[in-house]
Amino acid sequence: MQRDIPEPSPVPRELTPRGIALGIALALILGAANAYLGLYAGLTVSASIPAAVISMAILRILGGSTILENNVVQTIASAGEAVAAGAIFTFPALVILGGVRTLPYVEVTALCVVGATMGALMVVFLRRAYIVEERLPFPEGVACAQVLRAGDAQANVRPLVIGGLISAALKALQDVAGIIPGAVSGARWVGSAAVAGSLDISAALLGVGYIIGIRIAALVFAGGAFAWLVAIPVLTAFHPAHGTGDAATTASQLWSSQVRYLGVGAMLTGGVVTLWRLRTRIASAIADSIRIVRSTQTVATAREDTDLSARAVLTAVALCVPVIFAICLGLSGQVALSAALAVILTLICFFATAIAGYLTGIVGASNNPVSGVTVIVLLAVALFLKLAGVSQSVGPQLAILSGAIVCTAAAMAGDSTHDLATGYHVGATPRSLEIGVLVGAIASSFLMAPILNLLIAGYGIAGTATARAGALAAPQAFLMAKVTQGVFHGGLPLGTIATGAALAAILGFSDRYLERRGSKWRTPIMPAAIGLYLPLGLSVTIFVGALAHSLFGPEDGAESGPGILLAAGLVAGEALMGVASGAMVTAGIRLPIF
């Protein structure tokens, strides 16, 4: 896409106090919404376009806004979604492991700040390589730039508001009033095979499907269909011991204890494939970063090409290391081990940010499979801790906290490079965006522990003692918990994991073949892996939302039309009502009322 830069001004209205305040407010709201969505469906969606539309509407009322100021607001706001992704994929695993019932505020906040800081700032060294030189497509970055340009003329938030009201009302009727069920399901025996199906009644999932599109949603659905309509019937048919009792209970137990681990193997393979395919570009980006850091020359650059200084970035990252050391030391009590982990995790975070930044440039921020990269890191850290002699009571928790740092850094890196790509297309100052995304990330970090605790108290996590009706699936957190448990305590169904890995390898070869043929349809591993790991009802509803986009969406595939804004409203409205329901339960209100 041709870069379209507004006329430069000596002192552009860009990083303003009101823009920072509005961006932080939106970051907190959208971060809370994505925390719910991620725990419920295992997916998060980019907050940039909704934030840009809201920003344009509010700043127009205030008067005197510019496209660059609007861009800063959406940059700060989208940081909330990225922090939420890193937090919900990992920290709830501590509850699943049984070590805590309430997530500790200080540790969660500190690690969110550390991961977000490293992820937001380490990509400064990669910006020029990925955005200016490589010219990666950054699909959502380009779409957001289009929204900002179009909205410079007018901003219509009506579809966003309507979607939010509809989904919030539906969620209230489900959770607060108890009038509408959260899902419909059925199961029966077909011979000796258990066949079960379900459909979640969720406006948010419809919105997610509309946003991610038919290609990704079809893979999520295919993964779920294989798990529930192929794997479970085959296992029950060929193992008569399973063929007793209620069909729905049998299918659910078999999925929980065996079949969902197909997704574990698929995610592991997906992470390895991602690393291997990006090896050349990652090595090049790292070499460029080292060259920039070692350079002692001061080069005058245009405003549109001015980053934070390497010294400022390295100083901020260096301040994160003692925080990691202190938290690890408080949990393990071992000085040498804690020091080693602090250094190792800092280095791993750089590799993770390089991978996440590149992936965002190819598949977009919403499709960035950071959980696949995180689970590989988590597995490696867990093995390292076990070999180092860390006890079974401490090791899994320490591994989860380590994974949380890397996951948050990777999520933030994907978001930050996406925002920098948007800025490149509208002529923004990179330094202003780098400051803005850091501000939004740190502000959001202080809200994550309370939001997660509200949701866990209100709904519980499926498969744990606190689960209620409509419990949160938390698929990635469940994956992280089971992987660490398996390393320290054994019991992982290795055969099922290996089968999932093999299925993912087939998808990987298929994806490579389709890529070489230039096909529009591809078979990336991570969406199918998520489908294998989710309850079927979620996958079906997401697929229905994607079908709606294909049937009724714009033919030109525009990512900034009213349909996308309505879908974003559906996601945000249900998510925020979910957080409100959790707050009611925490306050002692018994839900549902009727």
Side-chain angles (χ1 to χ4, degrees), residues 133-374:
E133 297 172 4
E134 291 283 341
R135 292 187 178 272
L136 298 178
F138 287 99
E140 287 168 318
V142 171
C144 192
Q146 291 173 336
V147 171
L148 288 167
R149 286 200 205 91
D152 214 23
Q154 61 178 5
N156 181 16
V157 298
R158 183 175 298 175
L160 197 72
V161 174
I162 292 173
L165 292 175
I166 291 171
S167 61
L170 176 61
K171 189 66 174 173
L173 291 173
Q174 291 174 325
D175 290 356
V176 180
I179 297 174
I180 298 176
V184 291
S185 61
R188 61 177 298 177
W189 291 105
V190 179
S192 58
V195 179
S198 61
L199 170 70
D200 278 34
I201 302 173
S202 167
L205 294 180
L206 290 174
V208 168
Y210 194 97
I211 290 170
I212 66 176
I214 192 66
R215 295 170 190 167
I216 297 297
L219 288 168
V220 175
F221 174 73
F226 182 87
W228 286 87
L229 304 180
V230 177
I232 290 176
V234 167
L235 287 174
T236 50
F238 285 91
H239 295 81
H242 293 303
T244 59
D246 179 66
T249 301
T250 299
S252 179
Q253 290 176 345
L254 190 59
W255 172 76
S256 180
S257 63
Q258 289 287 327
V259 173
R260 74 184 312 183
Y261 288 94
L262 290 170
V264 175
M267 287 186 188
L268 287 170
T269 299
V272 171
V273 169
T274 298
L275 290 171
W276 176 254
R277 293 187 66 178
L278 300 181
R279 65 192 186 280
T280 303
R281 296 188 183 273
I282 291 171
S284 175
I286 291 172
D288 288 342
S289 301
I290 293 172
R291 175 179 53 78
I292 293 170
V293 172
R294 295 178 62 182
S295 175
T296 58
Q297 296 181 353
T298 301
V299 180
T301 56
R303 175 186 62 79
E304 295 87 354
D305 200 33
T306 302
D307 294 290
L308 284 170
S309 69
R311 179 175 297 178
V313 172
L314 293 176
T315 300
V317 171
L319 291 174
C320 294
V321 177
V323 178
I324 302 173
F325 169 78
I327 292 176
C328 292
L329 181 62
L331 190 59
S332 70
Q334 300 181 39
V335 176
L337 176 68
S338 300
L341 268 179
V343 174
I344 291 171
L345 288 174
T346 302
L347 294 175
I348 290 175
C349 279
F350 181 74
F351 284 95
T353 56
I355 295 168
Y358 183 82
L359 281 175
T360 297
I362 298 297
V363 300
S366 295
N367 302 320
N368 194 355
V370 295
S371 57
V373 177
T374 302

Side-chain angles (χ1 to χ4, degrees), residues 417-445:
T417 48
H418 157 273
D419 291 324
L420 288 168
T422 299
Y424 177 78
H425 287 291
V426 299
T429 307
R431 182 170 58 190
S432 296
L433 302 184
E434 289 153 7
I435 294 171
V437 77
L438 182 61
V439 169
I442 292 175
S444 302
S445 297

Side-chain angles (χ1 to χ4, degrees), residues 20 23-24 27-28 75-81 83 116 412 433-446:
I20 293 172
I24 290 175
L28 298 180
T75 295
I76 297 173
S78 65
E81 174 261 325
V83 174
M412 275 306 311
L433 302 184
E434 289 153 7
I435 294 171
V437 77
L438 182 61
V439 169
I442 292 175
S444 302
S445 297
F446 285 92

